[in-house]
Amino acid sequence: MSAKFSLLFFLKRRGGYVGGDLPVYLRITVDGKRAELAIQRKCDPEKWNTKKGCMVGTKDSVKEFNSFLLAFQTKVYEIQRSLLMDGNPIDPEIIKRNLTGKDRSAKMFLEVFEEHNENMRKLVGKDYSLATLTKYSTCLKSLKLFVQFQYKTSDINIRLMDFAFLTSLEMYLKTQKGVGHNTAMGYVKKVKKIIHFCVANKWLASDPFMAFKVSINKTSRTFLSEAEMKSLTNKEFKIQRLAEVRDMFLFSCYTGLAYVDVAKLTNNAIVEDGNATTWIVMDRTKTGVMANIPLLPQAEKIIDKYKDHPKVLVTGKLLPMISNQKVNAYLKEISVLCGITKELSHHCARHTFATTVTLSNGVPIETVSKMLGHSSLKSTQHYAKVLDKKVASDMKRLIGVL
C-alpha cells in the first residue's frame, strides 16, 4: 500500500512575536509522521495565503518568491521518487536530511560534475590541457541552465538520471541553445563520463546510456588546395599582424601541428639526426602522443625569419604566436584579401598538411598518422581526403601497369 505523502509551506511564529516577517517552513508528512525545516525565506503574514501555502500578490518579487517555493517542492518530489526507485522507505526525516545535505548517501549531479572539474583543474598540464578543462566548464554552465529550465531547481539527485534526462538535454541544447547536432553530442559525451563515474561508485543503479546512442554526423573538413596555398604564400601584406598570422598558419600547413602545439614550441623540440635531417620532436598537447615531423624547407624558412623577433627573444618560443581567437579572426581578413572563399581557422592548416601537403603527394597514411601524433590510424582517416589529382595520378600508374 502506498504511503500518504503531503507537503505544506507555513509561517512559523515563535514566543514573543510582536510583528514583522516570519520564517517560512516546510512540513513533510508521510503517514502521519512529520518533519519540518526552514527554507531560508521570510514573509509578511499579511501577504501569506495559509490555505495555498504561498505569498499573495502580482509583483515580480512575489512571483519570484513563489517560484522558489515551487522549485523547493519539486526537489522534495525528486528525492521521494529517488527513494521509491531504490526501494527505500519514504521517511520524512530521510527526505529532510537529503534536503539539508546531511544525508551523505545522496549525491547531486551538478555537484559531482563540479567536483570532477575541480580535480581536472588540478591536473591541467599533467593529464589534461587547459582547453579540455574549458570545454568541461562550458558544458557545466549549460547543464546548470538546463536543470533550472527543465526541473525548476538548482540541482538534481543523481538517482534521477535516466533516459528521459538525456533526451530532454539533447532537445534543450538543440532548441533553446541552438547548437548543432555534433556540438550537442559533445556535451552529452561529457555527461556520459560523469554518469559512468557515478555508476562505478554505485550512486546510480543503472546506466541511462544503455538506451541512448551518442551519434556524430560526418563533417567535411576544410583544407587549402595547392593553388590556394600558393596564393597565400605569395600575397604581400602591408599590415604586419596579418603577415605574421599568415606565416604561423603556413608553418602549421607544413608541419601539421595544432595551434596549441605551435604556441608552446621551443628550440628544444628541434632535433637534427645523423643524416642531416632536422626534426620537430614533441608530445602533442591533446593526446600526449609523441609527434616526429621532418622539418620541410618551407617551415624551416619561417623559423629562421622570426628568430630575431622581439616576442621570440622575450618568450623563448620558436614563433611569435598570439591568441587562437585573434589568429582565427585575422585569418578571416586574410582569406578575403587572398580571394579564398573557404572559412579559414588555424586548424584548417592541420587538415591541409594531412591532405594537400602529404597524402595527395603519395605519403602513406601510416606515416602521416605518426607525424600528426595520432594514437590510432582511425583518427588519421578523418583527414584522408582523396583529391582528384591523386586519383588521376594513381589511375595513370595503373594504366602503365596494365
Side-chain angles (χ1 to χ4, degrees):
M1 192 168 104
S2 61
K4 293 182 75 173
F5 184 87
S6 65
L7 303 176
L8 175 68
F9 290 106
F10 66 97
L11 303 185
K12 193 161 190 174
R13 283 185 170 84
R14 298 190 181 277
Y17 172 76
V18 291
D21 293 350
L22 289 170
V24 181
Y25 272 67
L26 171 65
R27 179 181 296 144
I28 307 166
T29 306
V30 182
D31 285 339
K33 187 178 178 181
R34 295 177 174 180
E36 296 177 355
L37 71 154
I39 66 166
Q40 309 305 317
R41 289 289 187 278
K42 289 185 177 182
C43 181
D44 183 347
E46 296 295 324
K47 298 179 180 179
W48 185 257
N49 186 321
T50 304
K51 187 175 181 181
K52 293 184 177 181
C54 64
M55 189 185 283
V56 178
T58 58
K59 292 183 178 179
D60 288 342
S61 58
V62 174
K63 292 178 181 178
E64 185 181 344
F65 186 94
N66 288 335
S67 291
F68 175 82
L69 297 183
L70 180 61
F72 204 93
Q73 178 178 282
T74 301
K75 200 168 186 178
V76 175
Y77 283 121
E78 288 171 0
I79 294 169
Q80 180 207 22
R81 181 186 167 201
S82 174
L83 292 171
L84 284 169
M85 287 173 64
D86 291 346
N88 295 319
I90 309 302
D91 184 271
E93 283 297 332
I94 293 176
I95 294 173
K96 179 180 176 179
R97 287 199 299 272
N98 271 267
L99 288 166
T100 57
K102 293 179 180 178
D103 185 352
R104 294 183 180 180
S105 66
K107 287 287 183 179
M108 305 302 283
F109 172 64
L110 296 179
E111 184 181 337
V112 172
F113 208 120
E114 191 83 63
E115 289 174 5
H116 165 273
N117 286 8
E118 266 310 308
N119 290 333
M120 180 177 279
R121 185 172 285 106
K122 295 172 185 176
L123 295 172
V124 167
K126 298 175 182 177
D127 294 344
Y128 302 100
S129 68
L130 182 59
T132 300
L133 173 62
T134 300
K135 289 176 183 177
Y136 273 89
S137 298
T138 302
C139 180
L140 179 57
K141 287 178 184 177
S142 295
L143 286 169
K144 286 179 178 178
L145 293 173
F146 165 68
V147 169
Q148 185 63 52
F149 173 85
Q150 186 72 19
Y151 300 95
K152 305 297 186 292
T153 185
S154 60
D155 207 342
I156 180 172
N157 195 305
I158 197 70
R159 294 168 182 162
L160 302 181
M161 303 297 291
D162 54 14
F163 180 76
F165 176 92
L166 298 176
T167 53
S168 298
L169 174 60
E170 181 184 2
M171 183 62 68
Y172 170 82
L173 291 170
K174 291 179 178 179
T175 57
Q176 297 298 316
K177 283 188 69 70
V179 304
H181 177 79
N182 285 0
T183 301
M185 290 299 104
Y187 283 110
V188 173
K189 284 174 74 174
K190 291 171 180 61
V191 171
K192 186 176 183 178
K193 180 184 178 184
I194 306 301
I195 292 292
H196 285 177
F197 176 75
C198 293
V199 172
N201 280 282
K202 298 183 179 178
W203 300 332
L204 187 59
S206 60
D207 181 5
F209 278 95
M210 289 180 68
F212 187 94
K213 183 180 180 181
V214 178
S215 61
I216 302 295
N217 294 336
K218 291 183 179 180
T219 57
S220 177
R221 297 174 184 267
T222 303
F223 63 94
L224 297 186
S225 65
E226 281 187 20
E228 288 166 333
M229 285 184 69
K230 187 175 181 179
S231 171
L232 192 62
T233 303
N234 295 337
K235 179 68 177 179
E236 290 188 11
F237 293 99
K238 295 180 180 179
I239 303 173
Q240 183 62 24
R241 61 177 171 83
L242 296 183
E244 290 183 4
V245 168
R246 182 269 312 275
D247 290 342
M248 301 308 106
F249 179 85
L250 286 173
F251 181 80
S252 285
C253 285
Y254 290 113
T255 60
L257 291 174
Y259 167 85
V260 67
D261 295 321
V262 178
K264 74 176 186 180
L265 207 57
T266 65
N267 274 309
N268 293 332
I270 308 300
V271 178
E272 190 171 318
D273 64 16
N275 298 315
T277 301
T278 305
W279 296 72
I280 293 177
V281 180
M282 67 183 302
D283 291 330
R284 282 210 61 216
T285 303
K286 184 177 179 180
T287 61
V289 176
M290 181 72 75
N292 298 292
I293 309 159
L295 203 58
L296 294 173
Q298 295 90 332
E300 202 163 1
K301 186 177 178 181
I302 292 171
I303 293 174
D304 188 60
K305 180 179 178 180
Y306 289 97
K307 65 181 180 181
D308 295 322
H309 190 284
K311 193 170 184 178
V312 169
L313 295 174
V314 170
T315 63
K317 303 298 183 183
L318 206 62
L319 296 168
M321 296 293 286
I322 57 176
S323 73
N324 195 23
Q325 186 178 13
K326 286 184 177 179
V327 165
N328 290 330
Y330 296 159
L331 281 172
K332 287 180 173 59
E333 291 184 55
I334 290 168
S335 62
V336 173
L337 293 172
C338 293
I340 297 172
T341 57
K342 296 171 181 174
E343 188 173 340
L344 294 190
S345 67
H346 192 276
H347 207 65
C348 170
R350 188 165 164 83
H351 303 324
T352 302
F353 174 79
T355 54
T356 307
V357 175
T358 56
L359 290 170
S360 66
N361 286 309
V363 179
I365 192 170
E366 294 82 3
T367 303
V368 176
S369 183
K370 187 170 180 61
M371 288 191 289
L372 289 173
H374 282 160
S375 54
S376 71
L377 195 61
K378 186 178 179 181
S379 300
T380 317
Q381 287 167 343
H382 291 295
Y383 292 87
K385 302 289 183 181
V386 181
L387 307 179
D388 290 341
K389 174 189 170 184
K390 182 70 168 64
V391 172
S393 65
D394 287 346
M395 290 306 292
K396 281 181 181 179
R397 189 161 51 250
L398 176 63
I399 291 170
V401 173
L402 296 175

